[in-house]
Amino acid sequence: MIGILKGMATTMKHALKGEKFTVQYPEETPEVSARFRGVHKFSQERCIWCRQCENVCPNDTIHIVTDDQRQGEEYNLHIGQCIYCRLCEEVCPVDAILLTQNFEFTGDTKDELVYNKEQLKNVPWYKDIDPLESREPDRGAWIGEGDGEVDYQ
Amino acid sequence: MATQTLPEFIADVTGLGTYGVGGEIVAAIIGAGIVGTIMLTYTGIAGPWAKRKITAAFTDRYAVNRMGPFGLLTIPADAVRLLSKELIIPENVDRPAFDIAPLIVAGSALLGFAVIPMGSLFGINLQIADPEAGLAFVFAVASIATLGLTMAGYASANKFSFMGALRAIAQNIAYEIPLVLTAASVVLFAGSLQMSEIVAAQTLGGGTEPLLAVAGLEIPPWFAFVNPFAFVLFMIANLAEVGRNPFDIPEAPTEIVAGYQTEYSSVYFVLIYLGEFLHIFLGGAIAATVFLGGPAGPILPGFVWFTIKIWGVFLFTQWARSAVPRVRIDQLISIGWKGMLVLSFVNLILTAVLVGVIV
Amino acid sequence: MSLEKSRDDALDAAGDVDPQAILDLLGDRVLDTEEHLNADIAVVVRPDAVEETLLALRDEAGFDHCSLVTAQEYEDRYESIYHLKQYDDPTNEVSVVVPAAKDDPVSESGNAAYRTCDWHEREAYDLVGIEYENHPDLRRILMPETWQGHPLSMDYDQDRPQVVTLGEHDNPLKDDHRDEDSDTMFLNIGPHHPATHGVLHAKTVLDGETVADVDPDIGYLHRCEEQMAQNGTYRHQIMPYPDRWDYGSAGLLNEYAYARAAEDLADIEVPEYAQVIRTMGAELCRIAAHMLAVGTFALDVYGDFTAIFQYAFRDREVVQNILEDLTGQRMMFNYFRLGGVAWDLPEPREDFFELTRDFLDGLPGKLEEYHDLITSNEIFQLRCVGTGVVEPEVAKSYGATGPVARASGVDYDVRRDDPYGYYDELDWDVVTEDGKDNYARVLCRLQEVEESAKIIEQCVDLLEEWPEEERTIQSNVPRTLKPENDTETYRAVEGAKGELGIYMRADGTDKPGRFKIRSPCYSNLQMLPEMAQGEYIPDLIASLGSLDIILGEVDR
């Protein structure tokens, strides 16, 4: 009986202490880390249409259409199908595609979740956090022997 | 010391008493309606709201807090939701039994409230009837629920329900006897099976002496203090009878899906669900009457104390649910027949000796 | 013991495998030898001599652990590979390669030697198409009974319609399981069930409340992980997938398995700093996975979302917060890369260390709470002590690993016996219990959480003092990685549930030729009939919970 009573005493202690672990979303927005992988943001200014992101994507989520001059026409990313692995951001040589911390996106149908390059450009930052700023010290890490100085113009 | 029962009061106030037996019957029905409404209100608060709030307190969470003040609007919202669901009746079920079973489960609990002395509120004594064998009546009626569970499980044409029904029978039979014996053992002190007599034997003033008078604080002779061993046994047997942890084998959700409730949806499910809570409150009411002095208590009206006591028992069942695991069916049966039965017989004999020889 | 004496014949003075002794032992059953990166020797034997070979290796050379049975198809033949190890020293490995003819792939079953082979060969039959003689029950395991074709074989037609007539399709809802003579009742537990840890279908035959027989039917969560890995490049595309095998928060442990196997295949070095980070991340995942396991086990025994489940999840959330800061995601991390990790600890480093140390400081109090609620509870002990008993010999024969085996006294832990990462430089113990029952497994998991906490603490101390200029997180690995043609390896790590191993064969391209996953839950689940027969249904549910299966890993 003692064991049972000890167990019951433990739960009663929790009840009387009254600390709550729940985050009352949406009144309180949770603190996410700077590295959190949310919806992508695409920069048409930087993209050089090298198709590295399309090649590396594990489940063919990115579709790029270029004309015969290798100039980009369409950049489609299905954010419903994406597994948010961040490989596209990792291989992009010019930081044209980033994963923001924004996880608050919705769509009524699955087709609404296919974002073209206009929509990807307009994805808002979550709580105005620019992920590049948080990742800058790490940017150079995976370039191997590089010194890690990335110059944003 | 029988005070006026509720139907008599209604008959006097409304003038129905002049119509003879028919008027008394109508008054009784009105009285039953009032008590039934009060009890169903409690159940309605307990089921969708209080149970979740209490569980959340034990588990460091917020519970229902979105709809209305303190989330109380969840209750009508839940009611609408449950009642608006589709009533699915599988093909092979045994029709009359399938339909009647939920009514039996809920009805037997409500019927038991007929003889519980609930104290007085604004001068009105809320007890519908006060027969001389009140305690026996309550136990008899409460155990009709077992029949309801069995009907539900057997009629559902579902192997999981069937197993739940068999387990329910075994459990209820095993724990019925210790329940009745422990209650009866303290009734020896009161000397009568009439519910109001039992309460009177525990109330201070008018002939009964306090158990202890400590620094001006008089502890009333509640049978829980007189024989705490019997009280503990009764609470454990009560948990088994209502089917709550650690004895919730008949509806063990992680083993047999939902036991006897598996095939029920919409209205039938509401009846069974509320019936379960009604049984918890009925068990609490019996415990309060027999062991905790019924509606006795200082300052506040009797009915308020009664409410506090039955909600206290409800809280205890929720507390046990949060922390105590479920016993296996064979262990449950062996605890019932070998452990509880022996202990309750010992308790009965000792009490009989005490009352007969010493007092 | 004669086993000891004969084992010495196969081992040379250093306790390693002596290839010549093995060849002498097997004599003329050996057709050829091959080079595998992991095995001390890989012998090719005739398909009709499999049973004798395996029995000889088990009894006379002491290889009592059959890790995996791989099946694959080449242009000119089929092949089954039996990877044999020793529980006492898993660095001693022998691979038995069994070729089978292309037009009629038949080979002998190894079930008489190792019970592991039962389900592994069923899967080989199901997915690749090799038939095994003398197998007690050769039917499909992952695919439905009526599937046509073998998905991983080369001539499989994906577009072929799989419509089968009603007569051939076995309808489990039909009541033709009624046997007039017996008193038993057939019950389908799952796949829709509140307690089956995923979509597991257990076909149970009940005698009253006693379980007469249980037959687990898996495959409801088969997502062709092996084939998807075979369609992805080594360097980048495969790495997100291992997170999704054991999805119960053990993502980094799965990634570790893939990283270890691929780095072995392509001969890549991992810098020491990255190894420390990997070790720390893996142990954090182990704590999270064990919290989940204990929480859901309490759910099974206590019924329905009671306090322990909620507390376990609350504690797991804290671990997930730490991992979110480190890797960027709370569950599917994709953090390891071949040659290291994706990025260094988050800046500022002190905040991360403080967060981790706060968690580690709070952990003993929380474990104390679990002991109050679970292990010292008499009813819990009534339910779990003495139920789901697995004898150590049975566990070894089924290839059980992880907390399930360690709770039966089998002292086997890949982190200590076949070291990788930074484990051999840290101070920690392997937890074994002698109880052999469900209670021992829960105790084992709770104590392993403490051990993991020790490891994390040491890693954090190391990382804090690591000199700044030596913090290399990834070695140089080319973008397109093409390991040499025809290299094969099998490497295992200690996943949350046991030995998680990957067999990979490179065919000269940038995608694997064969990618076979050795799932610990798969081998552990095979033991369920042994554990549950003769006991009651609640014990069956409790045993299933204590095995701690994650269907994502079982079905892949």
Side-chain angles (χ1 to χ4, degrees):
Chain A
M1 278 301 285
I2 304 290
I4 303 175
L5 293 173
K6 261 205 286 187
M8 288 174 73
T10 315
T11 45
M12 189 49 103
K13 256 197 300 191
H14 271 269
L16 295 174
K17 258 201 291 191
E19 293 170 1
K20 305 292 183 189
F21 194 69
T22 326
V23 171
Q24 297 256 59
Y25 190 79
E27 285 90 21
E28 306 167 21
T29 43
E31 289 292 321
V32 296
S33 86
R35 296 178 174 178
F36 187 75
R37 311 201 287 254
V39 186
H40 316 67
K41 200 168 170 73
F42 175 68
S43 161
Q44 297 172 37
E45 289 76 25
R46 295 189 199 232
C47 180
I48 58 174
W49 307 98
C50 63
R51 292 175 177 263
Q52 281 297 310
C53 52
E54 195 184 16
N55 279 344
V56 86
C57 182
N59 59 351
D60 297 330
T61 298
I62 303 180
H63 280 141
I64 295 178
V65 177
T66 53
D67 62 12
D68 49 1
Q69 304 271 318
R70 284 207 297 228
Q71 286 170 4
E73 289 181 354
E74 285 179 38
Y75 188 99
N76 297 321
L77 202 165
H78 194 321
I79 60 174
Q81 187 184 315
C82 175
I83 61 175
Y84 297 93
C85 64
R86 208 194 132 257
L87 286 172
C88 51
E89 178 189 324
E90 192 167 314
V91 301
C92 179
V94 294
D95 289 334
I97 182 156
L98 294 173
L99 267 72
T100 65
Q101 281 103 341
N102 189 357
F103 55 88
E104 294 164 320
F105 59 93
T106 55
D108 285 320
T109 62
K110 273 210 256 187
D111 297 324
E112 269 185 45
L113 289 179
V114 182
Y115 277 17
N116 58 22
K117 58 183 173 175
E118 278 307 311
Q119 290 166 300
L120 284 172
K121 175 177 162 170
N122 295 329
V123 165
W125 302 115
Y126 178 71
K127 289 199 203 177
D128 296 319
I129 301 176
D130 179 357
L132 263 188
E133 263 171 43
S134 64
R135 293 191 190 119
E136 198 155 329
D138 301 306
R139 276 267 127 197
W142 55 267
I143 304 182
E145 287 165 325
D147 287 323
E149 274 294 324
V150 187
D151 189 18
Y152 297 110
Q153 290 300 341
Chain B
M1 227 167 46
T3 48
Q4 199 184 38
T5 60
L6 188 59
E8 290 170 8
F9 176 77
I10 294 176
D12 281 346
V13 164
T14 58
L16 285 167
T18 52
Y19 291 102
V21 177
E24 281 177 29
I25 292 179
V26 173
I29 293 176
I30 296 174
I34 295 174
V35 169
T37 310
I38 296 174
M39 281 304 137
L40 283 173
T41 311
Y42 283 163
T43 319
I45 298 176
W49 188 80
K51 167 183 155 181
R52 293 179 189 164
K53 278 286 191 193
I54 296 172
T55 314
F58 284 124
T59 56
D60 294 343
R61 291 181 295 140
Y62 296 102
V64 286
N65 60 350
R66 290 278 161 193
M67 303 187 68
F70 301 109
L72 283 168
L73 277 183
T74 318
I75 301 169
D78 251 2
V80 170
R81 172 181 69 99
L82 282 171
L83 293 173
S84 66
K85 289 195 194 257
E86 180 188 349
L87 185 66
I88 303 173
I89 300 184
E91 226 175 68
N92 297 343
V93 297
D94 195 348
R95 259 334 270 275
F98 188 79
D99 300 317
I100 298 174
L103 292 170
I104 295 183
V105 172
S108 58
L110 279 174
L111 203 55
F113 278 108
V115 297
I116 306 274
M118 295 189 237
S120 58
L121 189 64
F122 310 126
I124 310 171
N125 183 27
L126 286 166
Q127 183 178 7
I128 299 180
D130 198 10
E132 277 173 14
L135 194 63
F137 173 77
V138 159
F139 281 128
V141 157
S143 54
I144 296 179
T146 317
L147 183 63
L149 298 187
T150 317
M151 285 169 71
Y154 186 73
S156 290
N158 176 342
K159 286 178 193 166
F160 288 117
S161 311
F162 179 62
M163 290 176 59
L166 294 177
R167 290 173 171 189
I169 302 173
Q171 176 178 312
N172 279 357
I173 292 179
Y175 283 86
E176 191 73 48
I177 302 179
L179 187 79
V180 175
L181 278 180
T182 43
S185 74
V186 294
V187 163
L188 288 176
F189 287 119
S192 155
L193 282 177
Q194 197 170 7
M195 297 294 254
S196 52
E197 288 287 329
I198 300 175
V199 167
Q202 298 176 66
T203 322
L204 284 174
T208 48
E209 296 143 18
L211 201 59
L212 274 179
V214 178
L217 188 72
E218 296 173 327
I219 300 180
W222 289 356
F223 294 144
F225 302 140
V226 170
N227 192 350
F229 181 58
F231 181 54
V232 169
L233 281 180
F234 183 84
M235 289 309 287
I236 297 176
N238 194 29
L239 275 178
E241 279 299 306
V242 300
R244 279 272 150 192
N245 281 50
F247 305 114
D248 70 342
I249 280 257
E251 60 164 88
T254 55
E255 293 161 25
I256 45 175
V257 190
Y260 60 91
Q261 297 174 11
T262 316
E263 295 288 345
Y264 284 97
S265 53
S266 182
V267 182
Y268 291 152
F269 174 71
V270 173
L271 280 172
I272 294 184
Y273 188 62
L274 289 183
E276 211 181 283
F277 281 100
L278 276 170
H279 273 284
I280 297 179
F281 280 121
L282 182 64
I286 301 174
T289 311
V290 175
F291 285 97
L292 294 174
I299 308 167
L300 296 168
F303 183 66
V304 176
W305 274 113
F306 179 74
T307 307
I308 292 176
K309 285 170 195 174
I310 60 174
W311 276 90
V313 175
F314 176 71
L315 187 69
F316 173 71
T317 56
Q318 287 303 114
W319 186 20
R321 184 172 201 270
S322 75
V324 184
R326 176 192 306 141
V327 286
R328 218 170 53 202
I329 187 71
D330 63 321
Q331 294 162 348
L332 185 150
I333 302 297
S334 67
I335 294 175
W337 288 109
K338 289 193 246 178
M340 298 277 295
L341 192 65
V342 169
L343 286 174
S344 51
F345 265 119
V346 164
N347 176 47
L348 182 68
I349 293 172
L350 281 177
T351 315
V353 164
L354 260 168
V355 170
V357 171
I358 298 175
V359 170
Chain C
M1 254 171 42
S2 64
L3 211 64
E4 279 289 336
K5 199 165 69 73
S6 342
R7 262 186 46 213
D8 292 340
D9 295 340
L11 307 177
D12 62 15
D16 292 330
V17 174
D18 182 10
Q20 193 52 46
I22 302 281
L23 287 172
D24 292 337
L25 174 65
L26 297 175
D28 63 347
R29 302 181 206 119
V30 175
L31 296 172
D32 193 6
T33 56
E34 279 184 6
E35 283 295 315
H36 286 193
L37 289 178
N38 60 311
D40 298 295
I41 181 167
V43 292
V44 182
V45 298
R46 293 194 324 267
D48 56 349
V50 173
E51 194 176 313
E52 299 170 353
T53 317
L54 291 179
L55 280 169
L57 284 170
R58 185 190 76 176
D59 297 328
E60 294 171 43
F63 288 94
D64 50 359
H65 180 48
C66 176
S67 285
L68 179 62
V69 179
T70 310
Q72 50 186 334
E73 186 180 348
Y74 292 89
E75 294 290 332
D76 55 344
R77 65 187 191 282
Y78 283 86
E79 204 173 79
S80 316
I81 307 179
Y82 294 80
H83 299 92
L84 306 177
K85 299 208 280 201
Q86 294 175 346
Y87 268 102
D88 295 325
D89 188 5
T91 51
N92 295 341
E93 289 183 52
V94 167
S95 298
V96 177
V97 180
V98 184
K102 184 80 168 178
D103 48 354
D104 181 28
V106 176
S107 92
E108 210 182 2
S109 164
N111 192 46
Y114 304 97
R115 289 288 287 137
T116 328
C117 300
D118 189 346
W119 274 22
H120 285 245
E121 283 170 2
R122 274 177 70 185
E123 184 185 335
Y125 164 64
D126 187 7
L127 293 180
V128 180
I130 305 177
E131 289 187 20
Y132 290 91
E133 283 180 330
N134 301 337
H135 192 279
D137 184 19
L138 193 69
R139 57 195 157 95
R140 288 189 179 266
I141 188 165
L142 291 177
M143 296 287 125
E145 303 267 328
T146 55
W147 203 261
Q148 299 166 73
H150 300 277
L152 286 181
S153 67
M154 287 165 129
D155 56 352
Y156 181 68
D157 182 9
Q158 266 183 332
D159 301 318
R160 170 188 190 176
Q162 293 282 351
V163 175
V164 182
T165 60
L166 201 60
E168 287 176 57
H169 189 93
D170 191 12
N171 182 2
L173 294 178
K174 241 168 54 172
D175 54 357
D176 58 350
H177 293 279
R178 194 174 298 152
D179 184 1
E180 298 304 324
D181 299 325
S182 73
D183 285 324
T184 55
M185 176 169 89
F186 177 82
L187 185 66
N188 284 314
I189 298 186
H192 289 109
H193 192 95
T196 58
H197 287 265
V199 272
L200 171 71
H201 176 204
K203 299 182 187 161
T204 342
V205 176
L206 296 172
D207 178 15
E209 279 259 343
T210 319
V211 174
D213 186 26
V214 62
D215 177 23
D217 176 19
I218 62 177
Y220 288 84
L221 199 52
H222 182 63
R223 296 164 292 174
C224 322
E225 293 277 350
E226 292 176 5
Q227 183 162 39
M228 287 203 294
Q230 281 166 210
N231 286 340
T233 59
Y234 290 102
R235 178 73 175 89
H236 283 123
Q237 287 184 328
I238 301 183
M239 200 43 111
Y241 288 117
D243 286 326
R244 288 147 170 94
W245 301 340
D246 179 357
Y247 46 69
S249 280
L252 288 182
L253 292 162
N254 306 343
E255 287 183 26
Y256 216 147
Y258 171 64
R260 190 179 185 198
E263 279 153 13
D264 192 39
L265 193 69
D267 203 16
I268 302 172
E269 285 279 322
V270 180
E272 225 177 314
Y273 184 63
Q275 286 191 8
V276 180
I277 299 184
R278 276 186 175 184
T279 309
M280 182 183 75
E283 292 305 309
L284 279 168
C285 273
R286 193 184 306 276
I287 293 184
H290 281 327
M291 289 285 165
L292 185 90
V294 169
T296 50
F297 182 67
L299 189 76
D300 286 341
V301 173
Y302 282 61
D304 242 22
F305 299 117
T306 46
I308 299 144
F309 179 75
Q310 305 284 12
Y311 296 159
F313 267 67
R314 181 201 59 195
D315 297 334
R316 188 171 152 262
E317 287 285 317
V318 180
V319 178
Q320 285 188 315
N321 280 340
I322 300 177
L323 284 167
E324 185 192 346
D325 275 345
L326 180 65
T327 70
Q329 277 281 18
R330 300 174 78 87
M331 212 169 188
M332 303 301 168
F333 308 106
N334 193 19
Y335 180 57
F336 288 7
R337 299 281 182 273
L338 296 190
V341 294
W343 40 30
D344 199 350
L345 300 179
E347 298 287 333
R349 289 165 72 96
E350 294 72 38
D351 286 356
F352 179 74
F353 292 135
E354 196 183 313
L355 186 67
T356 315
R357 287 207 173 103
D358 281 343
F359 165 68
L360 291 173
D361 289 335
L363 201 59
K366 291 178 186 162
L367 284 174
E368 191 61 43
E369 231 176 46
Y370 290 127
H371 282 293
D372 273 343
L373 280 167
I374 306 181
T375 54
S376 61
N377 193 318
E378 283 91 6
I379 300 184
F380 185 82
Q381 288 171 358
L382 255 184
R383 278 295 296 278
C384 296
V385 173
T387 60
V389 174
V390 178
E391 297 290 331
E393 296 308 316
V394 172
K396 283 191 193 179
S397 172
Y398 275 96
T401 50
V404 174
R406 288 200 281 277
S408 292
V410 177
D411 190 11
Y412 178 70
D413 190 327
V414 185
R415 293 175 288 175
R416 178 200 57 193
D417 299 330
D418 182 13
Y420 56 98
Y422 216 67
Y423 286 106
D424 46 354
E425 318 246 351
L426 299 172
D427 177 31
W428 58 283
D429 301 307
V430 173
V431 176
T432 50
E433 293 275 332
D434 284 318
K436 304 181 228 172
D437 49 25
N438 293 338
Y439 189 68
R441 285 179 214 121
V442 172
L443 275 183
C444 199
R445 291 203 176 96
L446 284 174
Q447 286 168 351
E448 272 188 21
V449 170
E450 286 176 30
E451 295 297 324
S452 295
K454 265 200 246 173
I455 298 178
I456 298 172
E457 200 169 334
Q458 293 169 49
C459 286
V460 164
D461 291 335
L462 279 170
L463 289 173
E464 202 169 17
E465 287 150 16
W466 206 275
E468 202 167 323
E469 43 310 329
E470 292 172 32
R471 293 181 189 162
T472 39
I473 58 170
Q474 206 177 22
S475 61
N476 290 359
V477 182
R479 260 300 161 92
T480 40
L481 189 63
K482 289 191 187 174
E484 222 181 281
N485 193 6
D486 252 352
T487 38
E488 350 188 358
T489 184
Y490 169 73
R491 282 276 170 236
V493 301
E494 182 75 16
K497 325 295 185 206
E499 178 189 334
L500 174 64
I502 298 180
Y503 166 84
M504 258 197 290
R505 175 175 64 90
D507 58 358
T509 61
D510 59 352
K511 301 186 172 144
R514 178 76 171 102
F515 190 98
K516 174 87 177 77
I517 307 165
R518 192 258 182 209
S519 150
C521 300
Y522 190 72
S523 307
N524 291 353
L525 186 57
Q526 241 187 307
M527 291 199 305
L528 187 65
E530 297 267 336
M531 289 165 76
Q533 266 166 12
E535 298 188 348
Y536 297 96
I537 296 180
D539 296 331
L540 167 70
I541 304 290
S543 305
L544 195 58
S546 76
L547 279 179
D548 187 25
I549 52 172
I550 298 280
L551 263 299
E553 205 173 43
V554 172
D555 292 338
R556 282 155 277 138

